Amino acid sequence: MKKIKAAIIGSGNIGTDLMYKLQRSDDLELTAMFGIDMESDGLRRANSVGYRVFTNGIDDFIERPDLADIVFDATSAKAHLRHAQLLKDMGKTVIDLTPAAIGPFVCPPVNFSEHIDSQNINMITCGGQATIPIIHAINSVADVSYGEIAATISSSSAGPGTRANIDEFTLTTRRGIEEVGGADRGKAIIILNPADPPILMRSTMYCEVKEMDEARIRTAILDMENSVKSYVPGYRLKNEPLFDGDRVTVFVEVEGAGDYFPSYAGNLDIMTSAAKQAGEMVAKRLLGKFNKDKAVTANDA
């Protein structure tokens, strides 16, 4: 079966977990990982399972453009500012896992069909991937005037990259709530919880709506939960949605698959799972297999 070649730039935790997920893809053939430190765990692991590894970052890829048609950028928002232009000049499709927000914001079950031909696809943030689909579902039947999310993650799952991008996280997630989720106004909060043992990722969504219809809202939320669960199996509602006047509150929990991260790091797992889903959709388009009427399907994410 023909596959589309893919490469990962960034050998940190995100890039390493993504490597394990791409190994199971029916549409993507991972060929290489590009990092800057041969002693990094990611490059060592990639090398041990037979992938080509490089230590001069994107500059090595520029010299070997035939290695991939789709590139996953798992570096940082600052690094992606440079990478994006270079990869655009090379004609490569980029799945951006940083909060750089250069390309359109994408949540696979919400708006991927609108951006299937985009050269740079931004995966927003972990909090965005966990909450924006639910806000979008509520907005589709009730018109959300205000949407607020609070993403609580274990401090053990917040590495240097996450901590360095806190400001980008809150700004990018807020924009995603409005631009993708459809809320007239949005707000995003991230909480690092130092509990031991570490907690699973939990996100709370608070929406004020203009057209309250509890039955339709509940159905829309459950349908969206199933859509996200198709590529993030550990994604689930923690409780039934709560209704109070014109307000809807939803609680979700994300348990990771345990590919590289511990299972409590659902905030990281949902990003790599969503990125894999987006990359596979691009690959399906290139292979002539993408169905816009069924953009998100159950797979072996």
Side-chain angles (χ1 to χ4, degrees):
M1 183 182 296
K2 186 177 180 181
K3 295 185 178 184
I4 301 299
K5 291 182 179 180
I8 298 170
I9 300 178
S11 62
N13 291 339
I14 291 286
T16 306
D17 187 76
L18 179 61
M19 175 186 74
Y20 288 111
K21 286 179 168 54
L22 294 183
Q23 286 179 342
R24 301 195 296 268
S25 177
D26 292 331
D27 300 297
L28 294 167
E29 176 191 354
L30 182 62
T31 63
M33 178 181 283
F34 296 83
I36 56 175
D37 179 8
M38 191 60 208
E39 296 305 311
S40 68
D41 191 46
L43 287 184
R44 287 202 306 267
R45 287 173 179 255
N47 186 56
S48 70
V49 294
Y51 296 120
R52 299 184 66 179
V53 297
F54 301 90
T55 59
N56 198 30
I58 195 172
D59 294 328
D60 278 328
F61 181 64
I62 291 172
E63 297 177 4
R64 301 166 181 83
D66 57 312
L67 283 176
D69 299 301
I70 298 174
V71 177
F72 294 85
D73 192 335
T75 58
S76 68
K78 182 177 180 180
H80 187 68
L81 296 176
R82 173 174 179 257
H83 296 171
Q85 186 59 53
L86 293 172
L87 293 167
K88 178 180 180 180
D89 293 343
M90 296 169 70
K92 305 299 181 181
T93 297
V94 186
I95 309 297
D96 176 22
L97 287 86
T98 81
I102 292 176
F105 292 162
V106 168
C107 280
V110 175
N111 67 335
F112 193 88
S113 294
E114 301 170 25
H115 304 294
I116 185 65
D117 296 317
S118 297
Q119 196 170 11
N120 187 304
I121 295 168
N122 180 264
M123 303 311 300
I124 318 178
T125 61
C126 61
Q129 291 297 334
T131 62
I132 290 171
I134 297 294
I135 292 174
H136 171 81
I138 297 172
N139 185 68
S140 70
V141 296
D143 196 356
V144 175
S145 57
Y146 176 73
E148 177 178 315
I149 73 100
T152 302
I153 66 174
S154 168
S155 58
S156 299
S157 70
T162 299
R163 294 171 187 269
N165 289 305
I166 291 293
D167 288 345
E168 289 88 350
F169 173 94
T170 54
L171 176 60
T172 299
T173 305
R174 178 189 63 76
R175 285 184 54 199
I177 291 169
E178 297 171 352
E179 297 175 22
V180 182
D184 294 342
R185 294 187 301 114
K187 181 179 179 180
I189 301 167
I190 183 170
I191 301 168
L192 305 186
N193 189 321
D196 186 17
I199 64 165
L200 296 178
M201 179 192 192
R202 292 176 181 170
S203 294
T204 301
M205 287 138 283
Y206 167 88
C207 296
E208 294 180 355
V209 301
K210 300 175 185 176
E211 303 170 14
M212 177 58 74
D213 185 325
E214 293 187 16
R216 292 183 69 203
I217 292 173
R218 182 178 288 105
T219 296
I221 290 171
L222 293 175
D223 286 346
M224 185 58 75
E225 177 194 19
N226 288 330
S227 292
V228 177
K229 191 186 292 288
S230 72
Y231 60 94
V232 188
Y235 184 89
R236 53 185 173 257
L237 292 181
K238 186 65 177 171
N239 303 98
E240 281 287 309
L242 300 180
F243 299 93
D244 180 18
D246 63 349
R247 303 178 181 92
V248 185
T249 306
V250 184
F251 308 90
V252 299
E253 182 175 79
V254 186
E255 182 175 359
D259 292 317
Y260 177 70
F261 302 122
S263 60
Y264 63 75
N267 53 303
L268 304 176
D269 190 87
I270 198 170
M271 281 294 287
T272 52
S273 296
K276 179 197 174 190
Q277 182 72 15
E280 288 185 328
M281 290 179 174
V282 173
K284 283 181 169 63
R285 175 181 65 81
L286 296 174
L287 294 169
K289 300 193 301 181
F290 183 72
N291 183 350
K292 286 193 174 184
D293 295 325
K294 196 176 183 182
V296 174
T297 59
N299 54 52
D300 61 353

